[in-house]
Amino acid sequence: MVDWNLAVATATRLVRPGPEVSRDEARAIVAELRRHAKASEEHVRAFTRMGPDAADDTPVLVVDRPGWVRANVAGFRELLKPLLDKMQERRGGSPGGAVLGAVGGKVTGVELGMLLSFLSSRVLGQYETFAPATRELPAGDNGGGRLLLVAPNIVHVERELDVQPHDFRLWVCLHEETHRTQFTAVPWLRDHLEGEIQSFLGETEVDPMTVLERVREAAQSLAGGRPEGEQGDDGHSFVELVQTPSQREILGRLTAVMSLLEGHADFVMDGVGPAVVPSVAEIREKFQQRRAKGASRLDLALRKLLGLDAKLRQYRDGERFVRAVVEQVGMDGFNRVWTSPNTLPTKAEIAKPADWVARVHRKAES
């Protein structure tokens, strides 16, 4: 169904070259990122009061853009396997199914490669959660996981923003280390997310005509073609618009969790930053401006299409949620959010933090 090797080859061929650095500079950048990642562990644990026992088992990998592509293809391959197996089984029973599968797999591989080549020049770091360990891409012993720092992109952005490289690199590491701490300190979080994603994928329609009809409806809504009197798309991306009602419910829960994780990372980064990153105020202001405006009209269009604007809202809304909760009940009170899936905020509670405090704290105290 997907030619994964072709996806990697396509992305690697199309990926933009990184900023020019000498071999000695590259070695120094990699070494500094590793030092900052290690230092960030102590800063993040002290600030969050989250002490993951397994953090040392989770590797930090400083990668280039093709390395980021390979890691994410491995993750997609693992996550999508149940869905693709179901689609393959359905197609295998149809006339010409094998031929269609071979051709479709190559088309999908090229399309995925094109998407990953676009994203690979934009991601600064990522806690890659789901892919199994390989010799080329090691992962943690306890359920996988690895922290990726994309060196060319970090250098590109620090130069674009004209900020102090040492400070910017540490600032990025603080954000990404928070994600690493979230998953290593909260043992159930990875399995919970994977379960939600698999439930989402399990609801996917495998009948091509049904998918085509939903895509047509989505295209009409994006083009302003809804019947008179119906609501607009309310800022939904193309990806959201083609989902079933059940998938939208799951997507709402996933959005809430991702808003929490991203907002928490931003909150920690800002909380730790002033003590260890001298120019944090300048970095934060310039980076926020960059996030808001995008790189170009094409970039803005792709962000809307792929739902990346929603990710930017996750940073903002999630950070407001975490800040409001910490102000009301302190860091230890906020950390009740990690107790179980039942204490995670809903999408509505992300917008109204006091409702989460009332639900979780008053219930615990009653």
Side-chain angles (χ1 to χ4, degrees):
M1 299 300 294
V2 180
D3 189 329
W4 299 105
N5 292 332
L6 184 57
V8 172
T10 300
T12 302
R13 185 174 68 253
L14 296 178
V15 72
R16 298 176 182 178
E20 291 187 10
V21 295
S22 69
R23 183 168 297 182
D24 288 342
E25 284 178 311
R27 289 197 186 102
I29 291 165
V30 170
E32 184 175 24
L33 287 172
R34 292 186 184 281
R35 289 197 302 272
H36 285 330
K38 185 64 179 176
S40 295
E41 282 185 33
E42 182 178 345
H43 297 315
V44 170
R45 290 187 196 189
F47 184 81
T48 62
R49 301 175 191 173
M50 298 169 70
D53 296 330
D56 292 338
D57 296 329
T58 308
V60 176
L61 306 181
V62 181
V63 298
D64 58 10
R65 290 168 179 174
W68 179 87
V69 168
R70 287 191 292 272
N72 276 267
V73 166
F76 284 142
R77 190 170 191 168
E78 186 73 10
L79 269 182
L80 295 177
K81 188 177 186 302
L83 171 64
L84 296 179
D85 286 347
K86 182 170 72 172
M87 296 179 72
Q88 183 70 38
E89 182 179 349
R90 173 73 67 89
R91 178 174 284 179
S94 63
V99 175
L100 288 173
V103 175
K106 292 191 179 301
V107 172
T108 307
V110 169
E111 291 173 341
L112 178 59
M114 293 172 66
L115 172 62
L116 290 172
S117 71
F118 168 76
L119 295 174
S120 68
S121 62
R122 285 158 174 76
V123 177
L124 301 181
Q126 173 188 357
Y127 187 77
E128 205 289 308
T129 316
F130 301 110
T134 65
R135 185 172 61 181
E136 183 183 30
L137 293 167
D141 295 333
N142 299 316
R146 51 189 164 228
L147 179 59
L148 307 176
L149 298 171
V150 191
N153 297 347
I154 293 172
V155 173
H156 171 79
V157 174
E158 71 190 26
R159 291 179 179 178
E160 179 185 316
L161 299 181
D162 190 25
V163 292
Q164 213 285 332
H166 172 86
D167 287 2
F168 184 74
R169 293 167 194 175
L170 177 56
W171 187 73
V172 171
C173 287
L174 288 170
H175 182 101
E176 303 307 333
E177 175 58 36
T178 303
H179 288 316
R180 183 167 172 243
T181 297
Q182 290 163 349
F183 281 93
T184 53
V186 186
W188 54 263
L189 183 57
R190 177 188 181 276
D191 289 342
H192 173 70
L193 267 181
E194 184 174 14
E196 289 281 58
I197 293 170
Q198 291 302 336
S199 295
F200 179 86
L201 295 175
E203 291 288 331
T204 299
E205 297 283 359
V206 295
D207 175 58
M209 294 306 297
T210 303
V211 174
L212 181 61
E213 181 61 29
R214 193 160 291 122
V215 168
R216 185 179 298 116
E217 292 172 0
Q220 288 175 351
S221 65
L222 284 171
R226 285 177 179 268
E228 186 176 355
E230 286 194 17
Q231 295 296 315
D233 69 14
D234 193 28
H236 290 308
S237 70
F238 179 79
V239 175
E240 292 174 290
L241 287 167
V242 299
Q243 307 310 324
T244 66
S246 295
Q247 285 176 315
R248 290 195 185 104
E249 289 184 16
I250 300 169
L251 190 62
R253 296 196 297 270
L254 282 169
T255 298
V257 176
M258 297 311 297
S259 296
L260 170 68
L261 298 180
E262 296 293 357
H264 184 233
D266 265 12
F267 177 79
V268 172
M269 185 169 58
D270 286 347
V272 174
V276 298
V277 182
S279 60
V280 66
E282 177 192 4
I283 291 172
R284 185 70 158 139
E285 180 180 1
K286 289 183 174 180
F287 194 77
Q288 287 287 63
Q289 291 173 354
R290 183 181 186 273
R291 267 184 184 173
K293 69 181 182 181
S296 66
R297 182 174 296 180
L298 174 62
D299 189 56
L300 290 171
L302 286 169
R303 286 193 340 192
K304 173 65 177 176
L305 179 66
L306 300 172
L308 300 183
D309 277 348
K311 186 172 178 64
L312 299 183
R313 290 196 297 273
Q314 287 170 10
Y315 287 108
R316 184 179 65 245
D317 298 344
E319 196 273 341
R320 277 203 299 258
F321 170 84
V322 175
R323 186 173 301 279
V325 172
V326 172
E327 286 175 356
Q328 289 184 59
V329 296
M331 185 64 75
D332 290 336
F334 165 79
N335 281 340
R336 289 191 187 180
V337 78
W338 312 117
T339 304
S340 75
N342 293 328
T343 56
L344 291 171
T346 65
K347 191 175 180 180
E349 288 170 341
I350 288 288
K352 295 182 177 180
D355 290 354
W356 180 87
V357 173
R359 176 172 68 87
V360 172
H361 282 263
R362 290 177 188 172
K363 182 177 180 181
E365 292 164 3
S366 62

